[in-house]
């Protein structure tokens, strides 16, 4: 049995706040159709794909932000995307803001799901590494209030058997942390799908757009190589509500090389054939975690939140 998956990194241009959810979903359906026409089995959409990246704006009354979150998934606005997936027999992964009520309390997460070729939710991930701050910073040109709008994800780093392989997800800032990849790597992950929304400028540091793109690629390529897994990183790009977001969506082979990438900062797919068996040699030989890791010397990694001396 071959395990070659044809995957589309379904990059999206900006989703400005004035754009109705249904219009955004219809753009995504266009991308999913293109991917299906290209013979893809799976398409990966960005972080918070259905809305503007609203954590850049401060709303003093958190409840006024409720419209940015999905209360159910799927819901009436998004159902056509699920129906299309089933009709065209193509899976997808989608990032969105999730609101849920548990024990009488509301919980908000930055979430991503995997939908199978029958249009059914096969897995869910909730972002663990939330960047930014929880306090309003009026002097910054834009906010990064993820710690205000979201709780830390409570699902860990699941890896599920889907699409003939071991599949996991993470979201944007998660891609900068080796722990993200390793947690999934230790579970044998062969494909990590991640969406990102990354401004080309850092309001608090002097960093060129080129350096920021280099760092984005660096961590995804290292994560892929060191865990012998495919990584699909997908941007929401372009000028969204006045803030420029980087593109550079790409598909990375377990050898660390980029094998497909987008060219612009608008709606666009990049497609690659990913043979999941290409993960096997690195897992069995080059790294072989079972044989070569030295967990008895890593206890500080779990013990400390700060620096280890
Ligand atoms: N959405 C994100 O998680 N963005 C962060 C930015 C704020 C640095 C990122 O790591 O790309």
């Amino acid at each position: 049995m071959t395990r070659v998956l044809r995957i589309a990194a379904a990059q999206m241009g900006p989703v400005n706040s004035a754009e109705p959810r249904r219009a955004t979903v219809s753009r995504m359906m266009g991308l999913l159709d293109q991917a299906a026409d290209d013979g893809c089995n799976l398409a990966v959409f960005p972080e918070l794909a259905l809305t503007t990246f609203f954590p850049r704006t401060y709303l003093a009354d958190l409840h006024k932000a409720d419209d940015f979150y999905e209360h159910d998934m799927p819901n009436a606005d998004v159902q056509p995307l699920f129906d299309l997936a089933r009709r065209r027999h193509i899976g997808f992964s989608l990032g969105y803001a999730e609101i849920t009520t548990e024990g009488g309390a509301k919980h908000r997460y930055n979430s991503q799901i995997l939908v199978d070729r029958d249009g059914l939710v096969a897995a869910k991930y909730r972002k663990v590494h939330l960047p930014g701050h929880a306090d309003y910073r009026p002097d910054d040109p834009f906010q990064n209030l993820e710690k205000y709008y979201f709780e830390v994800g409570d699902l860990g780093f699941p890896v599920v058997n889907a699409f003939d392989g071991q599949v996991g997800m993470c979201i944007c800032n998660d891609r900068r942390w080796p722990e993200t990849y390793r947690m999934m790597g230790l579970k044998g992950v062969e494909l990590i799908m991640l969406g990102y929304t990354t401004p080309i400028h850092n309001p608090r540091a002097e960093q060129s757009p080129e350096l920021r793109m280099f760092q984005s690629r660096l961590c995804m390529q290292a994560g892929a190589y060191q865990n012998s897994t495919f990584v699909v990183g997908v941007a929401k790009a372009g000028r969204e509500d006045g803030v420029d977001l980087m593109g550079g969506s790409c598909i990375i082979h377990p050898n660390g090389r980029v094998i497909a990438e987008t060219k612009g900062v608008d709606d666009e797919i990049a497609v690659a054939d990913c043979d999941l068996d290409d993960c096997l040699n690195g897992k069995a030989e080059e790294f072989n975690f079972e044989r070569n890791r030295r967990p008895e010397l890593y206890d500080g990694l779990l013990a400390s939140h700060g620096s280890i001396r």
Side-chain angles (χ1 to χ4, degrees), residues 3 190 228 254 275-286:
R3 296 197 302 143
E190 297 172 310
S228 199
D275 185 347
L276 299 185
D277 283 348
D278 289 354
C279 303
L280 300 181
N281 186 58
K283 288 191 193 297
E285 297 299 330
E286 193 165 356

Side-chain angles (χ1 to χ4, degrees), residues 47 53 127 131 144 146 171-173 175-176 197-199 212:
E47 176 185 32
F53 186 79
K127 186 173 183 177
N144 187 2
E146 284 203 52
I171 303 177
C172 197
N173 194 260
R175 76 192 187 284
R176 304 186 191 274
T197 322
T198 303
R212 286 171 71 72

Side-chain angles (χ1 to χ4, degrees), residues 222-244:
Y225 169 62
Q226 292 172 335
N227 295 280
S228 199
T229 177
F230 285 91
V231 170
V232 182
V234 183
K236 175 121 73 64
R239 174 159 289 207
E240 185 178 82
D241 287 331
V243 174
D244 286 311

Side-chain angles (χ1 to χ4, degrees), residues 5-10 28-29 31-37 39-45 81-94 112-123 162-163 167 169 191 193 232 269:
L5 279 183
R6 184 166 288 184
I7 302 180
M28 297 171 79
M29 290 170 71
L31 289 167
L32 198 64
D33 257 333
Q34 260 184 60
D37 289 346
C40 292
N41 312 103
L42 180 61
V44 182
F45 292 109
L81 185 67
F82 283 67
D83 294 342
L84 179 66
R86 196 177 57 248
R87 245 183 358 259
R88 307 249 16 213
H89 205 52
I90 178 173
F92 66 89
S93 181
L94 160 74
Q112 188 172 328
I113 48 168
L114 174 65
V115 175
D116 68 18
R117 282 173 270 203
D118 295 320
L120 300 173
V121 177
F163 294 89
V167 178
M169 294 173 277
L191 169 64
M193 295 165 290
V232 182
I269 61 168

